[in-house]
């Protein structure tokens, strides 16, 4: 995935479904770009671990910030595969997963757990949970979150005569904040029902279960002002840069790209939606011990901070933000001053309802 945001929909959905359990060839035959870090010291005694991540720029960051220094510290070789969800689950069902640690969205990991595809985690083997102060809300029986991304509002700072939109109600107010809007297509991310409900006055802590009918009524009020539904990470920035829209929903990490290009844009993180990525160990993993070692290493606050310095992801560890400069910290949606302004997507609700909501969204958008 060459997209700087990892090809976010691919990260969120894995292969986009878990039902097709076809036989899968070996790692090498899959064309996964398997790589090895240098062996460093001999402490690992020739041991290895295979980790699945999504590749691309994100994978390059993980290689630099996690895999190579892990090998240098432990001597354990790290191999990387970019297998997709159906391939991984097929191997697990066959009892021969060719990977030991999965790095994927927490939503996908819940799906794998529901398919009996993951080992229950032994928290006593993950010492970094304590030192990193990972919140209990980001830990399940089968997975632990290492980072998140935030979906929020971006607006042109030169469009409203010095006024700044503060809430999702302002996003819907095209009289006070004139201009066209852009929102995401389900091909890019989860439908943005939460933003519509927040705009209609639903408190952030009362969003779930989502009132789908109410959300679509609110979306319909804005439908004629939505110029385009974005289906890729760069598109909101393009629309804002060309002044085709004055406001758009966006993945917060994209804001830095725009400001570097001197586009007059800013983010509003009130009501931002967070979605987490995490680690799990597949059932039948061949190298469970080294998988725990890599998982534990990856969650260290200083390691999470190293990833955040190189890539626009937000550490799950509150301690990691203390290891960033003020400038680095303030550029992240996870910074202490922003965190309480947003909310965590209820992935269990979305797992049950995403297909039906997305189908309804497509009918509504065509409407």
């Amino acid at each position: 995935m060459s997209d700087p945001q990892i090809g976010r929909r691919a990260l969120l959905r894995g292969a986009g479904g878990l039902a097709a359990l076809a036989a899968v060839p070996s790692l090498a035959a899959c064309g996964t770009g398997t790589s090895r870090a240098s062996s460093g010291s001999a402490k690992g005694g020739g041991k290895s671990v295979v980790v699945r991540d999504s590749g691309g720029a994100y994978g390059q960051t993980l290689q630099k910030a996690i895999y190579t220094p892990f090998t240098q510290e432990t001597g354990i070789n790290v191999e990387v595969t970019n297998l997709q969800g159906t391939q991984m689950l097929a191997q697990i069902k066959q009892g021969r997963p060719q990977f030991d640690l999965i790095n994927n969205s927490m939503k996908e990991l819940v799906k794998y757990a529901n398919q009996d595809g993951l080992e229950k985690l032994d928290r006593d083997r993950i010492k970094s949970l304590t030192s990193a102060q990972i919140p209990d809300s980001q830990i399940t029986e089968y997975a632990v979150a290492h980072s998140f991304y935030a979906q929020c509002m971006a607006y042109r700072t030169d469009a409203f005569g010095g006024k700044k939109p503060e809430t999702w109600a302002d996003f819907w107010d095209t009289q006070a904040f004139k201009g066209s809007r852009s929102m995401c297509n389900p091909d890019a991310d989860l439908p943005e029902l939460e933003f519509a409900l927040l705009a209609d006055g639903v408190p952030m802590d009362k969003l779930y279960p989502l009132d789908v009918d109410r959300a679509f009524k609110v979306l319909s009020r804005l439908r004629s002002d939505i110029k385009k539904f974005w289906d890729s990470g760069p598109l909101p920035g393009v629309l804002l840069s060309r002044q085709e829209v004055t406001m758009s929903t966006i993945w917060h990490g994209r804001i830095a790209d725009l400001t570097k290009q001197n586009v007059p844009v800013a983010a509003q993180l009130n009501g931002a939606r967070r979605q987490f990525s995490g680690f799990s160990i597949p059932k039948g993993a061949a190298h469970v011990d080294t998988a725990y070692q890599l998982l534990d290493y990856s969650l260290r606050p200083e390691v999470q901070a190293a990833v955040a310095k190189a890539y626009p992801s937000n550490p799950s560890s509150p301690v990691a933000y203390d290891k960033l400069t003020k400038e680095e910290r303030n550029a992240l949606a996870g910074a202490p001053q922003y965190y309480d302004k947003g909310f965590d997507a209820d992935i269990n609700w979305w797992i049950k309802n995403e297909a039906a909501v997305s189908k309804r969204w497509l009918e509504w958008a065509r409407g």
Side-chain angles (χ1 to χ4, degrees):
M1 303 177 190
S2 59
D3 186 276
Q5 278 289 1
I6 322 175
R8 185 60 67 181
R9 197 53 172 170
L11 174 64
L12 290 172
R13 287 180 180 259
L18 302 177
L21 304 181
V24 182
S26 69
L27 252 169
C30 284
T32 57
T34 302
S35 64
R36 287 184 181 270
S38 60
S39 60
S41 70
K43 285 185 286 187
K47 293 181 180 179
S48 64
V49 60
V50 182
V51 59
R52 181 271 172 197
D53 67 40
S54 55
Y58 179 61
Q60 293 170 15
T61 296
L62 298 181
Q63 183 70 57
K64 179 180 179 181
I66 300 180
Y67 307 150
T68 296
F70 172 76
T71 296
Q72 291 170 344
E73 179 175 313
T74 66
I76 297 170
N77 290 326
V78 178
E79 300 180 22
V80 180
T81 179
N82 308 138
L83 288 170
Q84 297 302 306
T86 49
Q87 295 173 309
M88 289 190 290
L89 197 59
Q91 291 185 4
I92 293 169
K93 294 293 185 182
Q94 293 165 4
R96 297 188 299 273
Q98 296 180 17
F99 46 93
D100 308 302
L101 187 65
I102 305 172
N103 181 351
N104 208 335
S105 76
M106 291 291 279
K107 183 157 70 72
E108 289 305 304
L109 296 177
V110 168
K111 290 181 182 179
Y112 302 160
N114 291 344
Q115 293 282 334
D116 195 31
L118 302 178
E119 296 281 353
K120 284 190 177 181
L121 292 178
D122 182 351
R123 291 177 64 154
D124 290 337
R125 301 180 71 175
I126 312 172
K127 306 302 181 185
S128 293
L129 288 179
T130 300
S131 62
Q133 300 178 18
I134 306 294
D136 285 340
S137 62
Q138 297 168 24
I139 305 170
T140 73
E141 282 189 294
Y142 300 94
V144 56
H146 57 73
S147 64
F148 72 87
Y149 76 96
Q151 201 162 341
C152 65
M153 176 198 316
Y155 62 94
R156 285 194 64 97
T157 57
D158 59 354
F160 311 123
K163 291 187 298 183
K164 297 180 180 180
E166 299 290 344
T167 67
W168 286 109
D170 292 337
F171 190 90
W172 257 255
D173 188 348
T174 55
Q175 294 303 310
F177 298 93
K178 296 186 181 298
S180 297
R181 308 293 197 252
S182 180
M183 298 183 74
C184 86
N185 182 306
D187 284 342
D189 211 323
L190 297 173
E192 296 167 330
L193 269 59
E194 294 95 333
F195 302 156
L197 292 171
L198 290 172
D200 205 39
V202 177
M204 199 162 58
D205 61 350
K206 304 292 185 185
L207 281 170
Y208 300 100
L210 299 181
D211 186 333
V212 176
D213 290 340
R214 181 176 177 179
F216 274 100
K217 287 181 181 177
V218 180
L219 284 168
S220 293
R221 297 206 301 260
L222 192 65
R223 179 66 184 87
S224 62
D225 294 295
I226 300 175
K227 181 163 187 175
K228 187 171 183 63
F229 294 104
W230 56 271
D231 56 6
S232 66
L235 189 51
V238 171
L239 296 171
L240 288 162
S241 298
R242 294 176 177 173
Q243 301 187 56
E244 294 184 39
V245 301
T246 57
M247 284 197 233
S248 178
T249 58
I250 196 169
W251 293 322
H252 182 258
R254 290 284 178 179
I255 298 291
D257 297 337
L258 297 175
T259 54
K260 287 177 183 176
Q261 300 165 23
N262 295 317
V263 180
V265 295
Q268 176 51 260
L269 284 163
N270 284 334
R273 183 174 67 184
R274 293 186 290 262
Q275 295 186 64
F276 288 82
S277 295
F279 293 114
S280 286
I281 296 174
K283 277 199 169 179
H287 307 107
V288 172
D289 288 342
T290 51
Y292 270 109
Q293 286 180 261
L294 180 56
L295 193 165
D296 186 51
Y297 180 91
S298 300
L299 293 177
R300 292 180 187 176
E302 65 272 17
V303 174
Q304 290 195 38
V307 174
K309 286 175 179 286
Y311 192 85
S313 67
N314 301 273
S316 62
S317 167
V319 184
Y321 294 90
D322 296 334
K323 301 183 181 300
L324 300 171
T325 67
K326 183 178 180 180
E327 183 179 5
E328 291 166 341
R329 185 167 56 249
N330 290 347
L332 297 175
Q337 68 267 34
Y338 303 133
Y339 194 85
D340 289 342
K341 295 182 176 183
F343 64 93
D344 297 345
D346 185 332
I347 57 177
N348 290 307
W349 189 92
W350 275 111
I351 286 170
K352 293 176 183 177
N353 295 283
E354 182 178 3
V357 170
S358 294
K359 179 180 178 182
R360 181 169 175 178
W361 186 96
L362 291 170
E363 294 169 352
W364 168 81
R366 285 196 297 265

